[in-house]
Amino acid sequence: MSGRPCSWLFRVTLAAAALLRPERRARPLAVRPAARSRSPVPGFLGALKMEMTEMTGVSLKRGSLAVEDNDSLTPAEEAKRQKVSEGWLTKGQDGIENNSPPSCENVPRLPEVVSAGKSKRNSDAQLQEEEEEEEDGLSEEGEEEEEAESFADMMKHGLTELDVGITKFVSSHQGFSGILKERYSDFVVHEIGKDGRISHLDDLSVPVDEEDPSEDLFTVLTAEEKQRLEELQLFKNKETSVAIEVVEDTKEKRTVIHQAIKSLFPGLETKTEDREGKKYIVAYHAAGKKALANPRKHSWPKSRGSYCHFVLYKENKDTMDAINVLSKYLRVKPNIFSYMGTKDKRAITVQEIAVLKITAQRLAHLNKCLMNFKLGNFSYQKNPLKLGELQGNHFTVVLRNITGTDDQVEQAMNSLKEIGFINYYGMQRFGTTAVPTYQVGRAILQNSWAEVMDLILKPRSGAEKGYLVKCREEWAKTKDPAAALRKLPVKRCVEGQLLRGLSKYGMKNIVSAFGIIPRNNRLMYIHSYQSYVWNNMVSKRIEEYGLTPVPGDLVLKGATATYIEEEDVNNYSIHDVVMPLPGFDVIYPKHKISDAYREMLTADNLDIDNMRHKIRDYSLSGAYRKIIIRPQNVSWEVVAYDDPKIPLFNTDVDNLEGKPPPVFASVS
């Protein structure tokens, strides 16, 4: 398709809203590939625009993580009948949208063709020093280098949709194909809050607060002084204090310096000293290293909410990386931030973030120094945000180079609008390398910790960053976690965290070493296994019974699953039917699929009747998830354009800057 002199573009706007504590996830709509191409308009590329809103429902319980798959349109090499996963989000208690723990490789989702149808310095002190250095944020060097990685090479050794149970179509008509995410700006996500409001960045002003310090706070310290204070704050040198001379000695000037140090470098206290007739502000540690993680309590006005909520607009960076960057520039720990769900990397996304006791003034200042980020719509609230609190997400998606006749496009879009799509967990949930995340999850549930360690760290085929390849090779050769860790310039990934844990706790305490990885990232592995089981069971359910409800199917009444009885079958549609993610607090259908669940878990050496784990975090209570999702408010249109590098719709930042919307040529 890419070699054609002109192309068509498919633009789609989607909104997903969740019910019943639903789970965030992408579900594939599958339509069959078109047999022939749409006739090109000479001199132009084409575009089709669509809009929709979708309500989904999953009842999540503790231990069931919700993850979004914005990168859901992924090619299955061995199956030409490819599916389209539209990014529908539901929410959950742990509701994370990212599908797999952040790996050091972090291979981006490049354009996808889719068919719609140590030396011995191994001391705790060194490890702590490295940890603190990394926790301030991932280095942005090399971010752009990742774009050169070959998605095709990665998929050559990675998973196909068939590998994770995605085998069925919701419709039988011919469809069309196109390219998803040829540019990251072709995928735009706006979060839908629990109040149903779509998050937009449309106000960069800072709330007026008489208790905010003056703007001098950001300029009173020199770059050298900031560097020394940061090194003191992060325990990067042997100094116990930093003295800053007050050149223009006035009470007002000293006050601003005191405020600047305490505000910009949490954990440091200050005092004024006279030295040889000169005034100095001396900064020192107040309460050891723990003070760094906890913002100063006494400097926050009692009348103001403890959390500053703001809208974060970001481009081509996932939420966790974005939080790391913000924490690095603010010089705070990432764990004082909260959010309702993580968003895709290869996209433009808009979402709400909350941060503990950081002023809107400080946050707004970041707009002057950060690329591909904008912060705005500030407000002070009493409470943080919780994972899974959102109702869903609104999507604007571009499919470029689409093929197919007008009738084929119309038929496929009407199928999406009227029937919906199979609610499969998309490919991103299962990782992007030859070692699927569900295999790690299965090993955790089996309590096979040596296998967990091996699966995460062993060499594997496929496209990975060179330093990660060297790290894995070092591990395979020496089994020395400290030596392998030294090969990683970025240690705040799963591999780096596990190696740091092994260095700290030793090879005989893998459980504790694995526990260094943040909880949500650890849980993603076992939820990946749940998703793997669910996909396979849904495919079996549709193969066995089709797209109509049958006696023994499950439906939700409130948050409680009940069986469909023979006499009630006609009262339900396939859109009401749910299937369980395996766990100790769910029931299974009363038909052949119940046996299929048991057989699959038994083959994996797991007991479906005892999904509790001796480590509570890894006990699975289970959840319910609708098998077919039908979006609402669906609309689309075809447009033509003559420059493939020009974005095809305005972003929030474009609107803030007053840019006019793009003008399209007419399509004949």
Side-chain angles (χ1 to χ4, degrees), residues 322-333:
I323 294 300
N324 285 332
V325 171
L326 295 179
S327 64
K328 176 181 179 180
Y329 277 86
L330 293 168
R331 300 179 180 88
V332 296
K333 292 288 188 180

Side-chain angles (χ1 to χ4, degrees), residues 535-591:
N535 279 2
N536 279 276
M537 293 300 100
V538 166
S539 292
K540 287 184 180 293
R541 159 61 180 78
I542 292 174
E543 180 178 357
E544 189 71 31
Y545 301 111
L547 295 177
T548 57
V550 297
D553 273 336
L554 293 170
V555 293
L556 289 177
K557 292 185 177 179
T560 303
T562 61
Y563 295 106
I564 296 179
E565 303 295 340
E566 182 81 44
E567 60 272 17
D568 295 327
V569 167
N570 294 332
N571 295 331
Y572 298 99
S573 77
I574 192 63
H575 299 96
D576 299 312
V577 176
V578 299
M579 293 270 283
L581 282 79
F584 61 77
D585 198 21
V586 295
I587 59 176
Y588 296 88
K590 283 184 177 178
H591 47 52

Side-chain angles (χ1 to χ4, degrees), residues 39-54:
S39 300
V41 179
F44 290 99
L45 303 173
L48 175 68
K49 299 195 295 185
M50 179 187 72
E51 237 183 287
M52 70 174 88
T53 303
E54 177 239 9

Side-chain angles (χ1 to χ4, degrees), residues 244-246 249 254 272-275 277-281:
I244 296 172
E245 182 181 356
V246 185
D249 183 23
R254 293 197 303 272
T272 303
E273 288 186 359
D274 285 310
R275 298 182 180 179
K278 297 180 180 179
K279 282 282 198 301
Y280 288 85
I281 306 296

Side-chain angles (χ1 to χ4, degrees), residues 224-244 268 275 281-286 289:
E224 181 184 358
E225 289 167 345
K226 288 180 180 178
Q227 179 68 27
R228 292 176 60 206
L229 288 165
E230 180 178 3
E231 291 175 354
L232 175 67
Q233 180 200 33
L234 299 177
F235 298 90
K236 290 185 177 180
N237 54 35
K238 297 181 180 180
E239 288 187 81
T240 58
S241 65
V242 168
I244 296 172
L268 297 184
R275 298 182 180 179
I281 306 296
V282 179
Y284 60 96
H285 276 285
K289 296 186 179 183

Side-chain angles (χ1 to χ4, degrees), residues 474-495:
E474 182 68 29
W475 171 255
K477 181 174 65 176
T478 67
K479 288 295 188 289
D480 181 343
L485 188 62
R486 286 196 296 273
K487 301 292 184 181
L488 293 178
V490 176
K491 300 176 177 62
R492 196 177 160 75
C493 56
V494 166
E495 294 86 352

